[in-house]
Amino acid sequence: MGESRGGGCCPPMDLMRSETMQLVQLIVPMESAHLTVSYLGDLGLVQFKDLNSEKSPFQRTYAAQIKRCGEMARKIRFFKDQMSKAGVIPKELLEKESDIDLDDVEVKLGELEAELVEINANNDKLQRSYNELMEYKLVLQKAGEFFSSAHRSATAQQREIESEDSQQAGDDLLESPLLQEEKSIDSSKQVKLGFLTGLVPREKSMVFERILFRATRGNIFIRQTVIEEPVIDPSSGEKAEKNVFVVFYSGERAKSKILKICEAFGANRYPFSEDLGKQAQMITEVSGRLSELKTTIDAGLGHRDILLQTIGDKFELWNLKVRKEKAIYHTLNMLSLDVTKKCLVAEGWSPVFASNEIQDALQRAAFDSNSQVGSIFQVLRTKESPPTYFRTNKFTSAIQEIVDAYGVAKYQEANPGVFTIVTFPFLFAVMFGDWGHGICILLATMYLILREKKLSSQKLGDIMEMAFGGRYVILMMSLFSIYTGLIYNEFFSIPYPLFAPSAYDCRDASCSEATTIGLIKVRDTYPFGLDPVWHGTRSELPFLNSLKMKMSILLGVSQMNLGIIMSYFNARFFKSSVNIWFQFIPQMIFLNSLFGYLSVLIIIKWCTGSQADLYHVMIYMFLSPTDELGENQLFPHQKTVQLVLLFLALVSVPCMLLPKPFILKKQHEARHQGQSYAPLDETDESLHVETTGGSHGHEEFEFSEIFVHQLIHTIEFVLGAVSNTASYLRLWALSLAHSELSSVFYEKVLLLAWGYNNVLILILGIMVFIFATVGVLLVMETLSAFLHALRLHWVEFQNKFYEGDGYKFAPFTFIFTANEDE
Amino acid sequence: MGFLITTLIFLVVGIIASLCVRICFSRGPSTNLLHLTLVITATICCWMMWAIVYIAQMNPLIVPILSETE
């Protein structure tokens, strides 16, 4: 914990500086260690330091437990996979489920996994047999057709032959119709013909035929029939196009060759008998077995679904438990084992305000685990820099994330987030100003906010996630946009005289010079915002550009001054008077004597209506400051004032650069008075109270490094004063772009469609107008203005005071993100 | 004249807003200070924007020149 710094100057403000953090040491007896870590995880306010960082993951105490948890997590992933394949959705986790024991869970998971694996294996086997039988059935049908058609043609021919030659014993020939040429065959010479039937994939069928032909030297006869629908292949489980084939061969050698070729092609063979009776018998048998198998498979699937349902009921509970246990064991691995092996020592950062809660949790854990000894809670002193912790609610957390995206604040330095909550939406609105568009965005974000509870538990897509997370920022942006829209007097680019009639009118009753010289101001200034007469006039752009540019400069100088004042608060808090006298004051003088003076001149010019040329004034203030101002004089004694300011600005630059390094050097020497030698390592003071990695007493001080650092800082500030001020002109540029786009869409789409007096074209025009407004203005312009407002904050505002090199407080907690998986 | 009156109106609105926030969301001194800071910042930003646009139109150097068609 750092020594008690400032804080006495101004009353403390939430969110302005990080919560005070302290390094605590907990000494926990072994038996209550697990429960202690679990309760501290529920509390979520301790960031544990890894005391075993030199050890590899396998050398740590609880490596076995983590392996166990890993195994269980694997089983849970397997279940999730199976459930999603079967379309079972796990039950939602209720808020308070009763606590369950990890060993029970392990046993249950093991049992269920074995059962599920067995069911799956059985299912696969059954499915395979089913597919084979289906194929067999197809073979029986097709080959049967083929044989019977051949038989029919044979009988037809037989009758022909018989009519010619009636003495033939034609019965044998009916059996082998393809051998009709061999009418009189010597039985000894009769060759034994065999045949094979089966299925071959269609894409391989031609190659199959050709190879069979070549392998058997053309001594086979093959017939193929196409199967119309694709068939499920038993080995691969996917549908494939197949053909039924019948191969007739003679001789054993040919048979073995054909068998091998069939295997190579993955052609499944099925037995087939020529006998018609047997064929019919086989078909009925196969059909019977098929329907049996179907019922068995369905029963198996039903059983599996029931199993998955039971798993689904408890799934989320088990999942959460396993992840919690894994996190607890990882944390336990970070604690170091005391010499006596009876207790564990933990070190961690926690906020000071949480001390009581932590001690409470320790006591409860000791009580619940029935341990003899309670845990010890001790605060350590250290020179290490603590993590930064801001307590944010749902409103401020979005802005704090935006600020943290640039850099996490150093411990206890001023948080720009405080002012960013207001100035960021404000600068966005300056660039967006249109109260019609503002209302649209307000409606959209009100929907998100009113549906907060429901949407926060759902899983949204990436873009919706970001929009939902920033809903309060967008709400502020829309409110400010409505305000600036009223000031710019733009409602989808149409101005309205809402507050009073316009201040301008014709010079005379005939209005003859309205288009040449213009109107004149007859009434009081329009009370709120821009006069509605300007829209559509020829001198609108020169007037608006001048107004908006000057407004940007004024807003920019104000924000930069605020930044420098924040650095003053930092200097006061950290009690660094050198920063006040030799950084804050010269910076204020430099910025304000140049750009503050420019702002004052702008205001004076507006108030007096003088025609002085401010460019000329500013440039010649530098080039020839002693010249007479003539018609550029805005107030008496202006020349003297300018000379004084110029002198102050020039003097403040070396003031920023030179004194600070020398003063720091003197301070460093005063601190280490008389220490000519580097001190020895503190041997007898090295109690284990002193933290690991603590800094040694003698700090490094390199004068040249400090001087160069200060030089860079000074140059950055001086040059940055000009470039940052110019950078604020983007407020003008984007606001001009927005109003011009909006004006174009209105005039060139809506008014054009209106002019045709045709309902269809009007509807088309309205559709195009809506799409263009939503797509370009509400989405693209919003993103663009968001980005530029962000840049103005990150660079121009924050580089005046923000260091941002801290690290964020990451407590051990059980709030897992939805997609965090191991 | 109009400038001063409207500035006073902004001031009054700012004070009313901080009182409302103090009454509705009172939550401890440091949080109250934060809320006060936010309300004051918002009021100042809004006032600045209005004041700039108002002052710029008080003594105009450019007058509106209507375009031909109207």
Side-chain angles (χ1 to χ4, degrees), chain A residues 61-95:
Chain A
T61 335
Y62 291 92
Q65 305 287 347
I66 292 193
K67 246 196 295 192
R68 239 179 86 190
C69 289
E71 197 38 46
M72 286 199 271
R74 184 195 61 80
K75 290 188 188 139
I76 286 188
R77 273 200 301 273
F78 172 64
F79 289 152
K80 193 167 178 74
D81 214 21
Q82 291 289 317
M83 283 200 291
S84 60
K85 264 200 240 168
V88 175
I89 305 174
K91 195 177 81 163
E92 286 286 324
L93 188 62
L94 300 172
E95 277 304 320

Side-chain angles (χ1 to χ4, degrees), chain A residues 318-617:
Chain A
W318 290 336
N319 200 10
L320 191 64
K321 179 78 184 173
V322 168
R323 277 155 97 184
K324 260 172 105 156
E325 289 295 320
K326 196 142 191 237
I328 293 179
Y329 282 119
H330 271 303
T331 310
L332 281 172
N333 270 342
M334 291 202 258
L335 314 183
S336 79
L337 214 49
D338 191 38
V339 191
T340 59
K341 293 236 187 291
K342 287 235 187 70
C343 54
L344 289 168
V345 179
E347 268 180 32
W349 293 103
S350 82
V352 168
F353 69 78
S355 309
N356 286 338
E357 289 172 41
I358 295 180
Q359 285 178 311
D360 207 31
L362 289 178
Q363 275 176 3
R364 263 190 311 134
F367 182 72
D368 284 344
S369 61
N370 299 325
S371 95
Q372 256 69 1
V373 195
S375 318
I376 301 179
F377 174 87
Q378 207 180 357
V379 174
L380 302 173
R381 299 182 64 81
T382 173
K383 282 205 166 47
E384 263 179 60
S385 177
T388 312
Y389 180 48
F390 291 113
R391 273 199 286 186
T392 55
N393 53 23
K394 64 185 178 187
F395 181 70
T396 52
S397 65
I399 289 280
Q400 193 59 45
E401 267 179 42
I402 290 179
V403 171
D404 284 343
Y406 179 77
V408 179
K410 204 173 72 162
Y411 178 62
Q412 298 234 301
E413 79 166 330
N415 179 19
V418 169
F419 290 103
T420 307
I421 295 178
V422 170
T423 56
F424 175 74
F426 177 67
L427 287 186
F428 169 86
V430 171
M431 292 191 266
F432 193 76
D434 184 315
W435 55 285
H437 298 153
I439 291 179
C440 293
I441 298 189
L442 180 67
L443 291 174
T445 190
M446 284 313 284
Y447 170 74
L448 283 181
I449 291 180
L450 290 173
R451 290 285 178 130
E452 219 170 35
K453 281 226 157 44
K454 190 156 127 7
L455 287 172
S456 62
S457 54
Q458 273 178 7
K459 191 156 159 38
L460 313 162
D462 272 331
I463 299 181
M464 269 308 284
E465 195 82 47
M466 279 200 290
F468 181 70
R471 58 195 181 279
Y472 286 105
V473 179
I474 301 182
L475 174 70
M476 298 280 282
M477 280 157 45
S478 61
L479 290 175
F480 274 109
S481 300
I482 295 179
Y483 178 77
T484 54
L486 287 172
I487 294 213
Y488 288 154
N489 219 337
E490 285 198 12
F491 177 78
F492 293 99
S493 88
I494 315 172
Y496 286 109
L498 286 170
F499 297 96
S502 163
Y504 291 88
D505 214 341
C506 297
R507 282 167 205 271
D508 49 32
S510 64
C511 264
S512 53
E513 298 168 330
T515 52
T516 47
I517 308 182
L519 312 171
I520 50 167
K521 186 163 180 271
V522 294
R523 287 177 277 271
D524 275 340
T525 320
Y526 188 74
F528 191 83
L530 198 64
D531 203 300
V533 75
W534 286 104
H535 187 77
T537 57
R538 286 203 301 199
S539 52
E540 176 188 12
L541 278 181
F543 176 71
L544 273 187
N545 286 350
S546 159
L547 167 68
K548 286 185 180 174
M549 280 196 198
K550 291 177 177 152
M551 177 174 71
S552 314
I553 300 280
L554 289 169
L555 291 176
V557 171
S558 319
Q559 195 176 29
M560 289 197 284
N561 271 320
L562 180 66
I564 303 182
I565 292 175
M566 295 276 271
S567 85
Y568 168 69
F569 283 123
N570 267 344
R572 213 154 80 148
F573 183 82
F574 290 114
K575 292 203 176 14
S576 161
S577 64
V578 68
N579 271 346
I580 297 181
W581 288 108
F582 297 107
Q583 199 154 309
F584 165 66
I585 295 207
Q587 281 182 347
M588 282 296 267
I589 293 179
F590 183 80
L591 188 69
N592 287 319
S593 61
L594 294 179
F595 296 101
Y597 177 61
L598 174 62
S599 315
V600 168
L601 284 183
I602 290 176
I603 295 180
I604 294 181
K605 180 173 176 185
W606 274 343
C607 286
T608 59
S610 141
Q611 299 216 341
D613 183 355
L614 291 180
Y615 290 124
H616 197 269
V617 168

Side-chain angles (χ1 to χ4, degrees), chain A residues 281-336:
Chain A
Q281 201 187 20
M282 280 310 287
I283 288 186
T284 40
E285 208 178 297
V286 167
S287 304
R289 274 176 62 190
L290 269 177
S291 52
E292 253 176 55
L293 266 180
K294 190 109 182 72
T295 36
T296 318
I297 289 177
D298 284 339
L301 281 177
H303 186 54
R304 189 188 74 162
D305 281 341
I306 295 177
L307 189 66
L308 285 176
Q309 282 285 356
T310 36
I311 293 179
D313 281 341
K314 295 280 184 112
F315 178 74
E316 289 295 338
L317 192 62
W318 290 336
N319 200 10
L320 191 64
K321 179 78 184 173
V322 168
R323 277 155 97 184
K324 260 172 105 156
E325 289 295 320
K326 196 142 191 237
I328 293 179
Y329 282 119
H330 271 303
T331 310
L332 281 172
N333 270 342
M334 291 202 258
L335 314 183
S336 79

Side-chain angles (χ1 to χ4, degrees), chain A residues 12-14 418 422 426 483 504 514-515 517-519 521 525 527-529 531 534 536-539 547 606-607 609-610, chain B residues 10 30-31 33-34 37-38 42 45-46 48-50 52-67:
Chain A
M13 182 158 66
D14 240 11
V418 169
V422 170
F426 177 67
Y483 178 77
Y504 291 88
T515 52
I517 308 182
L519 312 171
K521 186 163 180 271
T525 320
F528 191 83
D531 203 300
W534 286 104
T537 57
R538 286 203 301 199
S539 52
L547 167 68
W606 274 343
C607 286
S610 141
Chain B
F10 267 97
S30 57
T31 319
L33 188 59
L34 173 69
T37 307
L38 291 180
C45 284
C46 293
M48 265 207 306
M49 178 128 190
W50 168 82
I52 290 172
V53 174
Y54 186 85
I55 296 178
Q57 293 183 102
M58 280 199 320
N59 303 305
L61 293 171
I62 308 177
V63 288
I65 303 177
L66 300 178
S67 52

Side-chain angles (χ1 to χ4, degrees), chain A residues 651-688:
Chain A
V651 159
S652 66
V653 174
C655 242
M656 271 189 253
L657 173 64
L658 293 172
K660 187 169 164 186
F662 291 103
I663 293 183
L664 283 179
K665 181 165 182 215
K666 270 220 188 61
Q667 281 181 349
H668 176 78
E669 279 168 11
R671 250 204 311 265
H672 300 279
Q673 194 91 46
Q675 284 186 0
S676 5
Y677 305 99
L680 301 171
D681 278 343
E682 305 153 317
T683 43
D684 37 85
E685 282 182 30
S686 57
L687 308 167
H688 64 269

